Amino acid sequence: MNYRAPVDELRFALRVHGNLDDILQLPASDGLDADTVDAVLEEAAKFAEQEWAPTNRTGDLNGASLSDGLVQTHPDLAAAYRSFCEAGWAGLRAPAEFGGQALPAAVSAACEEMWCAANLSLSLMPMLTLGAVDALLKHGSDEQKQTYLPKMCTGEWNGTMVLSEPDAGSDLGNLTTRAEPFSDGTYRLNGQKIFITWGGQEMTENTVHLVLARLPDAAAGVQGISMFVVPKFLVNSDGTLGGRNGVHVIGLEHKLGLHASPTCTMQFDNAVGYLVGRVGKGLAYMFTMMKTARLNVGIEGHAVAERAYQNALAYAKERVQGHDAENSDGSAVPIIRHADVRRMLLVQKATLAAQRALYLRTAALVDTAASHEDNVVRKQAEREADFLIPIVKAWLTDNSTVLTNLAIQTYGGAGYVEESGVAQYMRDARITPIYEGTNGIQAADLAGRKTSGKNGALPCSLLAEGKTLAEKLSAADPTLAEQLQNAVAAAEESVAELVSLADAPVLTAAASAAYLQQMGLTLGAIGLARTYVAAQDALDGKTENLFGHDFYTAQQHNARVYFAYVLPQVYTCAAQIKQGQALLDVPLVLF
């Protein structure tokens, strides 16, 4: 069950899809060059393979536990996390002013793929911590930043996202946790929260909870929600840790997967909290953290599927079973010689390539939106990133359940047996379409104003690149060019359909899931078309040949496989959008 970090694939994708050359010219990338990025990826790969990957199975078999109010994790995971922080990986994209390395989001995203593939459970803690850093950096007071960010950026303290309650999950307007103001400007929080990832553990010195709660006179609904910093240990004025705060883990969930990651039920009993920003703006502030997290969750689903594919490929090369008509002596052959096994493996490989193109494209837009010198360019990049993030979150995580199941199927009966290890990937991946906003919520978000605004101008501008690429493909591979043109045309028709439904929210919602899938499939194809053209340029000597002939021909084969086996799903999605909406708008008596 080894893991090989796909360094060349990541280096190539960063250049072609992550716009590395442009990102390195941004003011925030001052002093960074391509050679340094390559060195970071190489070292990250070694760390992921050697330090974190071996703990993945250990964590699954020896999950987090609660004893005497303390959350315990396996010592191997604690040691791996300490090594992670000591090596400086915890602050990879954290702000330099607070001790981070401030690397671009696109470079960090490539490293995060490796952390998530190596040990998804463990990777969730630094991921959430950096999300909390983002929220405090943007919305916290100077005092809050100085108090918490230096230790969070080094990983010595971790951060959490504390939203859900027993009666307030996706609908946070129903939350009831209360924050009572005190004369000294602090607050006392009381209530119960559920599904808090890494809400408790003994691996860091302190945990900084970002908590949503209501003041006594707050308005109903989401307008009455405020955000508070609630540390596990209070922090003295000199930065040392003070007394234990009134926040405790009272239970752990017993989950399908992610056994090493404690999912906590937490009780707040007169816990001291500090208001972040303005009263009533908590949910808006939390979306700073959630937007980052949703991009990262898409990477999580992709990464677990990548590791599952690697293991399925290795097994298919070793497992001898059945006969091959081309083998004249009739002897048994490795199952990779069988056509259906090849199909399953190639579909996994091609889909992963399309996904990597999409998430790195999105991360590069985040970088551009953050630091480009031209305000118009920044705003356009922000709009495009906001459009793509729900697709990355939902399409990649829906695919993760499909691809990990294909990995199990490649193993046959051995894949259904826990000892093979591959079943863990399916179990771990299954949460990714659910948390950080279910994929239905992502689809509804995408299909609404993000699509219908300005008569669909934004999605159509993203699809326009597909037409340009189809023209470039036409000489090298006319079949691919035609398939891409047809898929883009179908997507444009679906955009027009959603625009026509702008005043029909029920029908829009009914069409949203199919629409998100169609956009993901189509944008994935555009990404692989971009890959094909870039590979051809390298093979023809128009650009530097960094990875060799076999690498580039394999990238082009990915595109052919994807266009043949994956892309045709867009027509089913289009039919569902046109014909299926009204069938969902029915009286409940029909159920």
Side-chain angles (χ1 to χ4, degrees):
M1 305 302 293
N2 293 330
Y3 168 63
R4 180 197 65 82
V7 178
D8 282 349
E9 287 86 345
L10 287 166
R11 290 175 60 207
F12 174 74
L14 264 174
R15 285 162 170 77
V16 175
H17 308 290
N19 294 339
L20 183 62
D21 289 344
D22 293 338
I23 297 303
L24 293 177
Q25 300 305 311
L26 295 175
S29 300
D30 184 39
L32 186 66
D33 58 31
D35 289 341
T36 303
V37 171
D38 285 346
V40 168
L41 295 179
E42 291 286 353
E43 290 303 313
K46 291 177 185 176
F47 189 90
E49 293 169 354
Q50 298 171 13
E51 299 285 340
W52 271 28
T55 68
N56 190 56
R57 188 65 173 156
T58 302
D60 186 59
L61 296 174
N62 302 274
S65 62
L66 182 64
S67 177
D68 297 327
L70 300 179
V71 177
Q72 303 292 344
T73 54
H74 193 278
D76 287 357
L77 273 74
Y81 180 74
R82 285 195 300 272
S83 296
F84 183 80
C85 296
E86 290 167 359
W89 295 117
L92 197 63
R93 65 172 179 82
E97 62 184 302
F98 295 106
Q101 298 179 48
L103 289 187
V107 177
S108 179
C111 293
E112 285 159 12
E113 173 180 332
M114 293 186 267
W115 311 143
C116 293
N119 188 324
L120 179 57
S121 288
L122 191 52
S123 73
L124 298 180
M125 188 158 68
M127 183 271 282
L128 289 167
T129 300
L130 285 176
V133 167
D134 289 342
L136 286 176
L137 190 67
K138 188 170 185 179
H139 306 294
S141 67
D142 288 340
E143 181 181 1
Q144 289 168 348
K145 294 175 188 176
Q146 294 298 330
T147 300
Y148 300 106
L149 293 188
K151 295 284 190 179
M152 294 173 73
C153 288
T154 60
E156 295 170 81
W157 297 356
N158 74 299
T160 70
M161 180 190 299
V162 186
L163 291 79
S164 297
E165 298 180 4
D167 295 315
S170 297
D171 186 1
L172 291 170
N174 293 328
L175 68 80
T176 60
T177 296
R178 296 288 173 175
E180 300 278 348
F182 265 53
S183 58
D184 63 359
T186 64
Y187 295 79
R188 298 297 181 272
L189 275 71
N190 288 277
Q192 187 177 109
K193 295 287 187 176
I194 61 171
F195 298 154
I196 310 305
T197 301
W198 286 102
Q201 42 77 34
E202 301 302 310
M203 293 159 53
T204 63
E205 298 173 354
N206 202 4
T207 299
V208 181
H209 302 289
L210 295 189
V211 186
L212 296 186
R214 294 183 185 282
L215 272 65
D217 59 350
V222 297
Q223 290 79 14
I225 297 174
S226 299
M227 179 191 281
F228 300 86
V229 176
V230 182
K232 177 181 176 180
F233 290 98
L234 300 175
V235 183
N236 298 320
S237 58
D238 63 358
T240 60
L241 294 183
R244 184 74 162 81
N245 206 356
V247 51
H248 299 279
V249 178
I250 60 173
L252 297 183
E253 301 294 345
H254 300 279
K255 311 187 297 288
L256 177 69
L258 295 183
H259 293 158
S261 166
T263 301
C264 304
T265 299
M266 306 191 68
Q267 188 68 38
F268 292 79
D269 291 322
N270 287 322
V272 178
Y274 308 89
L275 179 69
V276 177
R278 294 162 52 195
V279 169
K281 297 295 183 181
L283 190 58
Y285 297 160
M286 189 63 81
F287 267 104
T288 297
M289 188 173 182
M290 291 174 70
K291 185 160 74 169
T292 301
R294 287 172 175 176
L295 174 58
N296 286 335
V297 170
I299 296 171
E300 290 173 17
H302 164 83
V304 175
E306 165 69 32
R307 188 165 184 180
Y309 159 71
Q310 288 187 17
N311 283 270
L313 176 62
Y315 182 83
K317 290 179 177 179
E318 296 170 358
R319 173 61 169 164
V320 175
Q321 188 82 177
H323 304 284
D324 187 338
E326 296 180 1
N327 196 4
S328 58
D329 64 4
S331 59
V333 296
I335 62 173
I336 198 169
R337 295 277 293 271
H338 300 311
D340 195 55
V341 172
R342 286 174 178 265
R343 175 191 63 82
M344 291 188 288
L345 291 168
L346 288 169
V347 166
Q348 292 172 68
K349 185 172 185 285
T351 306
L352 289 165
Q355 293 178 168
R356 189 174 288 117
L358 187 58
Y359 88 68
L360 285 172
R361 190 74 157 186
T362 306
L365 288 167
V366 171
D367 286 318
T368 303
S371 65
H372 199 282
E373 293 177 316
D374 188 323
N375 185 58
V376 174
V377 174
R378 283 202 311 273
K379 291 296 184 184
Q380 181 62 20
E382 183 177 14
R383 285 190 289 269
E384 291 182 7
D386 286 347
F387 184 86
L388 291 176
I389 282 173
I391 301 175
V392 171
K393 195 281 180 184
W395 187 59
L396 271 62
T397 60
D398 278 344
N399 285 344
S400 73
T401 66
V402 174
L403 300 181
T404 53
N405 272 292
L406 277 176
I408 290 174
Q409 189 70 19
T410 303
Y411 274 74
Y416 195 68
V417 176
E418 284 288 350
E419 283 76 7
S420 70
V422 73
Q424 179 192 345
Y425 306 132
M426 180 273 291
R427 290 188 285 103
D428 286 352
R430 189 58 189 86
I431 187 59
T432 59
I434 298 172
Y435 62 12
E436 298 304 340
T438 66
N439 285 0
I441 290 173
Q442 307 305 314
D445 176 39
L446 181 74
R449 284 185 300 233
K450 287 183 177 178
T451 290
S452 61
K454 296 184 178 179
N455 292 318
L458 179 55
C460 286
S461 69
L462 293 172
L463 292 169
E465 186 189 4
K467 298 178 181 179
T468 302
L469 287 166
E471 293 177 6
K472 293 181 179 179
L473 277 174
S474 59
D477 196 319
T479 300
L480 289 188
E482 182 180 5
Q483 289 172 318
L484 183 58
Q485 287 171 333
N486 292 340
V488 168
E492 288 175 331
E493 289 181 15
S494 293
V495 170
E497 184 77 15
L498 267 293
V499 169
S500 74
L501 297 175
D503 296 325
V506 173
L507 295 180
T508 298
S512 62
Y515 173 68
L516 186 146
Q517 290 298 315
Q518 184 180 9
M519 289 302 295
L521 289 160
T522 306
L523 293 171
I526 291 172
L528 288 187
R530 197 183 309 120
T531 290
Y532 192 104
V533 170
Q536 192 63 51
D537 286 346
L539 290 170
D540 291 342
K542 296 179 181 178
T543 58
E544 187 178 2
N545 189 324
L546 293 174
F547 304 104
H549 180 273
D550 290 348
F551 178 89
Y552 291 115
T553 54
Q555 304 313 305
Q556 293 185 325
H557 192 67
N558 284 339
R560 295 189 186 98
V561 170
Y562 183 92
F563 277 49
Y565 283 100
V566 182
L567 185 59
Q569 297 172 62
V570 297
Y571 304 111
T572 300
C573 295
Q576 291 173 353
I577 292 168
K578 289 181 179 179
Q579 302 170 23
Q581 313 148 356
L583 299 178
L584 300 184
D585 186 19
V586 298
L588 292 180
V589 70
L590 295 182
F591 285 88

